[in-house]
Amino acid sequence: MIAMDVYEKLMAMAKRRGIIYPSYEIYGGEAGFYDYGPIGSMLKNNIENLWRDFYVMRERFMEISTPVITPYRVLKASGHVDKFIDEIATCKKCGASFKVEELKDGKCPLCGGEVERGVLNLMFETSIGAKKQDKAFLRPETAQGIFVNFPLLQHFARKKLPFGVVQIGKGFRNEVSPRQGVLRLREFSMAEAEIFFHPDRKMHPGFDKVKEKRLKLLPEGFEREEIFTLRKAIEKGIIQNEAMAYYIALTHDFLVSIGVDKEKIRFRQHERDELAHYANDCWDAEILMQRFGWVECVGIADRSAYDLKAHMNSTGVNMMLTDESKKVKKKILKPKMDAIGKEFRKNAPMVIEAIKNADYGDDIHVEIDGKKITIDERFYEVEEVEEYEKFIPHVIEPSYGIDRITYAVLEHNYREVEKEGESYVILSLPSKIAPVKAGVFPLVSKDGLPEIAKEIEEMLRENGIMAVYDDKGSIGRRYARMDEIGTPFCITVDYQSKEDGTVTVRYRDTTEQERVKIEELVEWLSEKI
RNA sequence: GCGGGUGUGGUGUAGUUUGGUAACACGAAGCCCUGCCACGGCUUUGCCCCGGGUUCAAAUCCCGGCACCCGCACCA
């Protein structure tokens, strides 16, 4: 028999244990969609909450929540309508598909056959309103909801840069052919942070703490990954700025803390022709998976001023900030009203306007009654003023694919051990993301032990510790069930519990046990999760 | 989207060649047993991906669809 790979075993287990299901399965399923079951939902929530811990708590970013449905004009302005497409040509003769640019004289580059062209926009289209039918899309990223709120958000942040805004939510991409299970979904969860910087100051106060961190980097043009300290990567110009380096480090720490194997993480810089239409630099966190190789799970992109500029141009709403540290001297022209009025009479407003629109050093002309008249210094004075520089903030965006990361966590923590000739599955999840923190069992289902165990389970839940009571089957079977969903602790009530008020607590990964007093359980567990 | 493969209880499989409506293991539920790692007994549950065709009769043959897997292409 051919051994199943981890993917197959994991997905079968995931279905059995309420982690991941194919969506709409009773209707035959729908490619590109998966459900999270009861255990999977808790796992995903825990991962998202830990992400909040990193980005909202520690980085002090602000979380917002904006609609999935996005009006046409927003995504037109952002470039998604025009750029988020695939122009595809399919050869009628040999069936091969190509990008339009790859065609030779409009023919198939392989066999020279006639091709059929098609344009695919990867966004799901919908409409708003029953009668008006305004065109709209399901968002392809959560980021735009943040950018369009920039004026309000920067006011809320009291104009201090840098500041970050995050959003966790669904994104939608109508993939041409979704494959690889939960790794390529049409509807997926993403956690994105948009961090706004002064263009010349992409720095982070935390950089010093992480600069000696050694990470596996695969910079553009490199054949294979190499280990660099972040300090060195910055010095060599491999990573463009400290902020980018800092978020690479933060991403690494986050992934490791939720249980991704740190040996299986690398950061790969996009090749220039691979960059998204909005990005001028991007580093992906890639995670090594047994079946799929290196998989992009996080993209950390420098979007420059692209998006804010796009929305500013499209709406006229000001997206610029003032740099109060940078004064620029500027000569401005002030019209001399009395001279202008006497000379030009009813044409005066036109002259005033022309002066206001001119820069120092320009020749100023107006046309009156078909005659071109030069406005000289009799009509204005030059004044030197100092004003602050204005700029459109730049954005660095760490964007996390939660589903891919969740799968990676499952795969990297899936362990099989031999137990009496049978294979035994343990999901060695870090306690803090484990869906269930404790299983609570009576050693035997009699003599009042179940009652004590039920009380303990209730006590744990009341104290915010997710616990599950189970008295079905043998004790070993109950341990096994909990091991498979990654429950770090199992509490067993035995006869000694009745005498001295202690229970055994079993560690998932070692199966070792220790006795803990029932009244100290909450504290004991809280410390360890 | 193209080509190939696959689709049988919740899971993993046998049965498909040669047509006669399904079996095994594990699981799950109930009862009993049970003094710590998938114990045992009894009982129960539950499957031929969907639609059409051929046939007296289809899990089995044919056509179409869907899903999954592999390769090609695509993947901001």
Side-chain angles (χ1 to χ4, degrees):
Chain A
M1 191 187 124
I2 298 160
M4 287 201 292
D5 67 11
V6 175
Y7 174 81
E8 279 175 88
K9 286 191 279 199
L10 190 56
M11 291 307 273
M13 191 273 272
K15 198 171 168 184
R16 203 159 21 94
R17 290 292 179 211
I19 301 174
I20 294 167
Y21 310 136
S23 295
Y24 310 110
E25 201 185 18
I26 63 166
Y27 284 93
E30 194 66 48
F33 298 91
Y34 279 85
D35 300 343
Y36 287 93
I39 295 295
S41 294
M42 286 196 275
L43 176 65
K44 177 166 169 271
N45 286 342
N46 290 347
I47 289 174
E48 287 176 354
N49 284 334
L50 206 70
W51 191 89
R52 286 190 171 92
D53 221 42
F54 272 70
Y55 278 90
V56 179
M57 276 299 195
R58 295 195 218 169
E59 290 294 307
R60 299 166 191 279
F61 294 166
M62 307 176 277
E63 180 172 357
I64 67 167
S65 184
T66 70
V68 161
I69 294 176
T70 312
Y72 176 88
R73 54 196 187 279
V74 173
L75 292 162
K76 177 72 181 172
S78 72
H80 285 88
V81 170
D82 298 313
K83 302 266 180 59
F84 200 65
I85 55 168
D86 283 336
E87 282 186 273
I88 285 189
T90 305
C91 178
K92 289 179 189 167
K93 208 166 135 194
C94 70
S97 294
F98 309 93
K99 286 187 188 173
V100 166
E101 307 92 77
E102 291 174 341
L103 297 177
K104 282 200 177 125
D105 308 319
K107 299 268 171 71
C108 172
L110 285 185
C111 70
E114 292 291 321
V115 296
E116 194 161 28
R117 284 173 175 239
V119 175
L120 289 166
N121 192 301
L122 298 178
M123 293 192 289
F124 281 96
E125 236 178 277
T126 183
S127 56
I128 302 173
K131 286 203 172 141
K132 257 173 56 196
Q133 298 278 317
D134 280 341
K135 204 168 160 185
F137 299 101
L138 306 189
R139 64 185 177 195
E141 53 173 5
T142 68
Q144 296 306 325
I146 295 175
F147 297 134
V148 298
N149 277 315
F150 178 76
L152 292 169
L153 291 166
Q154 66 86 20
H155 185 252
F156 182 83
R158 289 150 77 189
K159 308 194 183 192
K160 265 209 164 104
L161 288 187
F163 69 86
V165 182
V166 308
Q167 178 159 205
I168 298 177
K170 292 285 186 94
F172 303 81
R173 293 173 194 184
N174 204 353
E175 297 285 353
V176 177
S177 86
R179 289 270 174 90
Q180 310 176 330
V182 86
L183 296 188
R184 237 177 119 194
L185 297 173
R186 288 187 163 125
E187 172 172 346
F188 54 97
S189 287
M190 53 214 294
E192 297 190 299
E194 310 300 325
I195 309 145
F196 299 93
F197 290 91
H198 186 286
D200 303 329
R201 274 174 252 147
K202 294 177 183 170
M203 291 173 285
H204 194 286
F207 176 73
D208 257 14
K209 276 189 209 148
V210 300
K211 69 182 178 193
E212 296 306 327
K213 206 174 172 61
R214 297 162 62 79
L215 295 176
K216 218 180 275 173
L217 303 184
L218 179 55
E220 187 196 356
F222 277 50
E223 286 290 309
R224 41 185 321 145
E225 62 260 24
E226 280 180 39
I227 293 176
F228 291 91
T229 64
L230 290 172
R231 180 177 49 76
K232 199 154 212 175
I234 291 277
E235 280 167 13
K236 288 195 165 180
I238 287 167
I239 298 176
Q240 297 309 312
N241 56 67
E242 289 184 6
M244 178 65 89
Y246 178 83
Y247 289 107
I248 287 174
L250 192 72
T251 295
H252 182 265
D253 288 353
F254 171 74
L255 293 176
V256 171
S257 83
I258 59 172
V260 176
D261 183 346
K262 68 170 183 290
E263 300 304 319
K264 294 178 180 169
I265 300 172
R266 74 175 184 192
F267 291 87
R268 187 178 70 83
Q269 187 176 30
H270 280 210
E271 305 291 330
R272 293 232 68 84
D273 60 2
E274 171 191 7
L275 289 166
H277 67 269
Y278 49 70
N280 65 27
D281 189 17
C282 186
W283 285 84
D284 283 345
E286 295 186 324
I287 301 179
L288 188 60
M289 318 241 185
Q290 192 208 49
R291 185 177 197 153
F292 307 111
W294 289 102
V295 176
E296 165 193 351
C297 291
V298 183
I300 308 169
D302 188 334
R303 299 177 75 131
S304 70
Y306 178 89
D307 300 275
L308 293 183
K309 199 182 273 174
H311 291 301
M312 185 165 90
N313 289 342
S314 164
T315 61
V317 172
N318 180 40
M319 302 277 180
M320 294 204 284
L321 295 184
T322 305
D323 182 357
E324 292 184 26
S325 72
K326 212 181 216 172
K327 279 190 182 167
V328 251
K329 283 189 182 160
K330 205 173 163 188
K331 287 175 175 163
I332 58 162
L333 308 180
K334 274 183 88 174
K336 289 181 183 168
M337 295 305 197
D338 56 342
I340 295 168
K342 279 177 196 153
E343 178 79 17
F344 295 100
R345 301 287 162 181
K346 68 177 192 314
N347 290 316
M350 196 167 141
V351 175
I352 293 163
E353 193 62 23
I355 293 170
K356 280 189 175 164
N357 288 334
D359 285 325
Y360 176 72
D362 289 352
D363 285 330
I364 307 167
H365 305 286
V366 289
E367 227 177 80
I368 292 170
D369 301 330
K371 276 190 281 184
K372 199 172 175 182
I373 296 166
T374 301
I375 309 296
D376 59 38
E377 293 199 18
R378 279 179 299 151
F379 303 110
Y380 60 83
E381 53 192 346
V382 178
E383 197 177 316
E384 196 172 73
V385 296
E386 282 190 322
E387 59 179 34
Y388 296 118
E389 195 176 80
K390 295 221 189 279
F391 64 95
I392 301 176
H394 278 209
V395 170
I396 288 179
E397 174 202 69
S399 172
Y400 291 61
I402 295 294
D403 312 279
R404 290 180 172 188
I405 291 170
T406 302
Y407 174 79
V409 167
L410 290 172
E411 186 182 299
H412 289 187
N413 291 285
Y414 180 91
R415 290 201 292 130
E416 249 174 76
V417 296
E418 280 289 302
K419 219 170 189 179
E420 283 160 31
E422 280 196 74
S423 99
Y424 186 95
V425 173
I426 303 173
L427 205 56
S428 290
L429 298 174
S431 303
K432 60 194 161 203
I433 65 157
V436 177
K437 308 301 185 193
V440 186
F441 318 137
L443 183 59
V444 290
S445 299
K446 60 181 183 188
D447 301 328
L449 302 188
E451 286 71 18
I452 301 173
K454 280 178 189 162
E455 270 174 40
I456 292 174
E457 188 239 31
E458 194 168 329
M459 172 186 80
L460 295 179
R461 283 185 178 240
E462 277 170 1
N463 284 281
I465 296 169
M466 180 56 69
V468 168
Y469 172 82
D470 191 0
D471 60 12
K472 302 264 183 342
S474 74
I475 192 80
R477 188 174 295 268
R478 287 175 256 160
Y479 287 145
R481 274 194 283 258
M482 286 294 136
D483 286 343
E484 230 176 41
I485 60 166
T487 304
F489 301 106
C490 287
I491 294 161
T492 303
V493 175
D494 56 18
Y495 287 100
Q496 193 182 327
S497 309
K498 287 172 81 173
E499 289 161 21
D500 64 4
T502 65
V503 290
T504 63
V505 184
R506 165 192 182 267
Y507 291 83
R508 175 193 62 207
D509 296 330
T510 62
T511 75
E512 276 164 18
Q513 298 185 346
E514 64 184 79
R515 292 205 80 89
V516 177
K517 282 193 179 144
I518 293 171
E519 69 250 31
E520 288 169 4
L521 261 180
V522 169
E523 200 187 348
W524 190 95
L525 284 169
S526 303
E527 249 171 52
K528 293 196 160 54
I529 54 183

